[in-house]
Amino acid sequence: MFDIIASTVIAIMAAAAVLVLYVTRRPERPIARSALIEAPAERIFPHINDLKALNRWNPFDDKSPASANTYSGAASGPGQRYDFDTKSSGSGHIEIVRSVPPRRVEMNLVMVKPFACDNQVVFTLEPEGTGTRVTWSMSGTAGTFAKVMGFLMCGEQMCGNAFDKGLADLKAIVERDEPRDAIRAVG
């Protein structure tokens, strides 16, 4: 009986070691999703280049009163930072590091909890037909535990689904808002 238990434990440990080795040796692939928004890039860009505006549609932002979230640095664009400590999304910070109006915003996302990681987040806005193709991508490095958990929990799919939801919410906000010129002309 002891031999069967010992063999089973050894087999489980070997399988776990192979899984960890496989997952940690896999190349990290960026996650990217895009949506076509029926508006010019100039109308979309301010909803991305300002973290307060971004958090109106960001599916990862926890707006509960128990969250400890603070903005600092620039009012928008490079240097604007958002520190968060939430139950649903964990803790860390995101900072805008580069903007190319109205085509690109680059951010650095550092997660502390639930898993430590350092990610680069990029939004690109490209004209397409009568609208703009907005692409949200993320790439970076994660520790072994985060890689294994992401693999076991289908992290790419979960994060990709959140990107899809966020882009759909951004689309709704931008397409619902009247252009600023039309607002001024009426007022």
Side-chain angles (χ1 to χ4, degrees):
M1 180 70 147
F2 178 75
D3 290 340
I4 294 172
I5 293 172
S7 297
T8 303
V9 168
I10 290 171
I12 291 171
M13 289 175 58
V18 168
L19 174 66
V20 168
L21 188 61
Y22 169 73
V23 170
T24 57
R25 301 242 184 235
R26 285 177 48 200
E28 299 208 25
R29 296 183 311 233
I31 298 168
R33 296 292 193 275
S34 68
L36 181 62
I37 298 177
E38 290 299 327
E42 292 79 11
R43 272 202 26 229
I44 302 166
F45 188 79
H47 295 277
I48 298 170
N49 195 49
D50 177 349
L51 294 172
K52 291 177 184 176
L54 183 140
N55 281 335
R56 286 181 55 206
W57 56 268
N58 179 2
F60 298 105
D61 186 48
D62 182 346
K63 294 162 184 61
S64 72
S67 299
N69 306 325
T70 58
Y71 295 92
S72 60
S76 67
Q80 186 182 36
R81 180 175 162 140
Y82 177 62
D83 289 87
F84 54 91
D85 188 2
T86 69
K87 287 187 178 188
S88 64
S89 296
S91 63
H93 70 269
I94 189 163
E95 182 174 351
I96 298 175
V97 295
R98 184 170 180 248
S99 293
V100 182
R103 300 285 178 237
R104 185 176 179 92
V105 178
E106 298 173 12
M107 302 175 187
N108 186 34
L109 169 64
V110 175
M111 294 294 300
V112 177
K113 294 178 187 173
F115 310 113
C117 64
D118 188 353
N119 292 312
Q120 290 68 51
V121 177
V122 178
F123 289 91
T124 56
L125 295 84
E126 295 293 329
E128 184 175 313
T130 59
T132 303
R133 170 81 43 198
V134 178
T135 301
W136 182 358
S137 66
M138 182 173 70
S139 60
T141 59
T144 301
F145 185 68
K147 286 182 180 182
V148 171
M149 291 307 293
F151 178 78
L152 294 175
M153 298 171 60
C154 300
E156 194 281 334
Q157 183 179 1
M158 287 178 11
C159 197
N161 290 344
F163 282 17
D164 287 336
K165 180 189 181 322
L167 289 169
D169 290 347
L170 173 62
K171 177 180 175 72
I173 288 169
V174 170
E175 291 179 358
R176 177 180 66 226
D177 289 347
E178 290 187 41
R180 292 198 167 122
D181 292 341
I183 294 169
R184 276 191 228 124
V186 173

